[in-house]
Amino acid sequence: MLPLALTLGDPAGIGPELALAAWLASTPADPLPAFFLVADPAFVERTANRLGLAVPIAEIDPETATEVFPRALPVVALPSGNETFAEPGVPDSVTAGATIESITAAVGFVRTGRAAAVVTNPIAKFVLTRAGFAHPGHTEFLAALAVAPGRTPPRPVMMIWSETLAVVPVTIHVPLRDVPGLLTQDLVVETARIVARDLAERFGLEAPRLVLAGLNPHAGESGTIGHEDRDVLAPAVARLRAEGVDIRGPLPADTLFHERARRTYDVALCPTHDQALIPVKTIAFDDGVNVTLGLPFVRTSPDHGTAFDIAGKGLARPDSLIAAIRLADRLARTEAARASGAGRTADIIPLNAYAGRPRSMPAAHFDAEDEL
């Protein structure tokens, strides 16, 4: 397998030290997939020295990363050759260029067949915006990089994945008051199509099972508590089922995430951001992974932000980044196996993923709990 391309993230955040800690966590007994960091090698070395981390740094090309990885952290220099200077915990728009260049180069390495997937460290949107960044966010920038300039980018879908729960927020970073106006049948249908396709093609699930949480309490109780569940979500589910997508809902969100319920689906779609992220961050705070569906390449990311408050203090835990690296490798392997005609291989999916979840469950499973 090709190595993974890991981006720098915000240089003043915890991304650089997480990359160092992740490399240190790779042992002969439990090796990580080979990855290289796209960054200024001198900056990475200064970061390691500041934190007292015994991590040898090797400036390399992507083609030699896998060979070098067991003995040093491979770093591919920014194409511009520019140096990076940042004070931990002090965001500065001066560093925006390094952040953007690292992302752009990493995607380029994947698109030209020099890396298997992109793993992104956290960025701070406000830092990039002050420097003139024109995209709404990290994911939208990645989508724009996925196509030639001037072409319509694919629609990305954010999924937070863990071995115990996977969720997709249908609307993301918008005020709650705006959600009812944004939540259309077409948005739900398009989101679910992308989720079902990528679960089949990259996660190797032959028949992925989706559920849709209701927007209102008790999923609206047939229109008595808001009309969105009855008039928007239910018809969207009917359209999807008519297309052959295995999806149920809308179901009351308050009974959707306990252990028995989770056994009956592979991913839960939720109308609002917090409906999705509160349960997954409660259940899998340290090892959740942000997976971007809908892109023509695999992209994963830690499920947390830049954590400027602890940057440079050696307190950041690399668990989520390590999980993102492992998942990116497995998804890339699944995709490569499909492209080579080898078909889907179940053992490519992380060992405990979907464990204990029966592959069929009557829809009535939720009936007794819907009134809670």
Side-chain angles (χ1 to χ4, degrees):
M1 280 294 295
L2 294 170
L4 308 174
L6 175 62
T7 68
L8 173 65
D10 192 300
I14 61 173
E17 60 192 271
L18 290 180
L20 294 163
W23 183 85
L24 279 173
S26 182
T27 66
D30 188 21
L32 274 180
F35 64 85
F36 60 85
L37 179 63
V38 185
D40 170 20
F43 170 75
V44 179
E45 188 165 17
R46 289 196 304 272
T47 301
N49 292 337
R50 181 189 293 116
L51 293 166
L53 299 177
V55 179
I57 307 300
E59 183 176 350
I60 52 91
D61 293 323
E63 287 74 18
T64 58
T66 300
E67 176 191 348
V68 168
F69 186 80
R71 62 179 183 272
L73 173 61
V75 178
V76 174
L78 299 173
S80 67
N82 289 340
E83 293 183 290
T84 302
F85 297 94
E87 184 68 26
V90 184
D92 189 337
S93 59
V94 171
T95 66
T99 301
I100 293 170
E101 191 177 359
S102 177
I103 298 167
T104 304
V107 171
F109 290 138
V110 173
R111 293 192 67 196
T112 56
R114 303 177 75 188
V118 175
V119 181
T120 59
N121 265 311
I123 67 171
K125 179 185 169 185
F126 74 91
V127 174
L128 303 186
T129 301
R130 290 174 183 172
F133 188 65
H135 299 273
H138 201 167
T139 302
E140 291 82 1
F141 182 43
L142 288 161
L145 293 174
V147 295
R151 295 208 170 181
T152 302
R155 180 177 179 274
V157 170
M158 180 175 77
M159 179 169 75
I160 307 300
W161 182 92
S162 74
E163 292 192 357
T164 50
L165 175 64
V167 297
V168 169
V170 179
T171 64
I172 307 179
H173 300 128
V174 296
L176 279 174
R177 65 176 176 271
D178 295 344
V179 170
L182 296 170
L183 198 64
T184 65
Q185 284 190 42
D186 287 344
L187 176 63
V188 174
V189 168
E190 185 180 5
T191 302
R193 285 172 179 160
I194 293 170
V195 172
R197 183 194 67 209
D198 276 24
L199 283 180
E201 294 184 356
R202 287 186 174 157
F203 283 77
L205 296 176
E206 295 287 349
R209 300 164 303 162
L210 283 59
V211 293
L212 176 64
L215 173 65
N216 297 296
H218 301 181
E221 287 198 0
S222 300
T224 60
I225 310 177
H227 61 83
E228 293 86 359
D229 299 280
R230 179 195 63 196
D231 297 344
V232 178
L233 301 187
V237 169
R239 285 172 57 186
L240 288 161
R241 292 184 67 84
E243 295 177 6
V245 177
D246 184 352
I247 183 170
R248 292 177 291 132
L251 298 169
D254 61 352
T255 57
L256 199 55
F257 299 106
H258 62 81
E259 185 177 1
R260 292 197 312 279
R262 295 199 307 269
R263 295 194 192 110
T264 69
Y265 59 82
D266 300 313
V267 62
L269 279 64
C270 301
T272 72
H273 175 278
D274 283 8
Q275 273 184 320
L277 270 67
I278 287 173
V280 76
K281 289 194 175 185
T282 299
I283 293 169
F285 183 78
D286 290 321
D287 55 4
V289 178
N290 184 344
V291 187
T292 304
L293 310 179
L295 297 178
F297 52 84
V298 172
R299 181 261 181 147
T300 66
S301 182
D303 183 25
H304 56 67
T306 52
F308 290 123
D309 56 326
I310 63 170
K313 299 178 181 178
L315 301 176
R317 294 181 53 166
D319 305 57
S320 186
L321 177 59
I322 289 171
I325 290 168
R326 293 193 186 280
L327 183 61
D329 177 67
R330 293 181 183 276
L331 297 183
R333 287 177 184 275
T334 301
E335 191 168 65
R338 285 175 54 81
S340 68
R344 299 184 182 97
T345 29
D347 61 350
I348 289 174
I349 303 303
L351 296 179
N352 295 326
Y354 312 110
R357 302 185 194 184
R359 294 314 303 169
S360 62
M361 180 67 71
H365 173 72
F366 284 94
D367 289 354
E369 298 165 342
D370 285 352
E371 302 303 321
L372 296 178

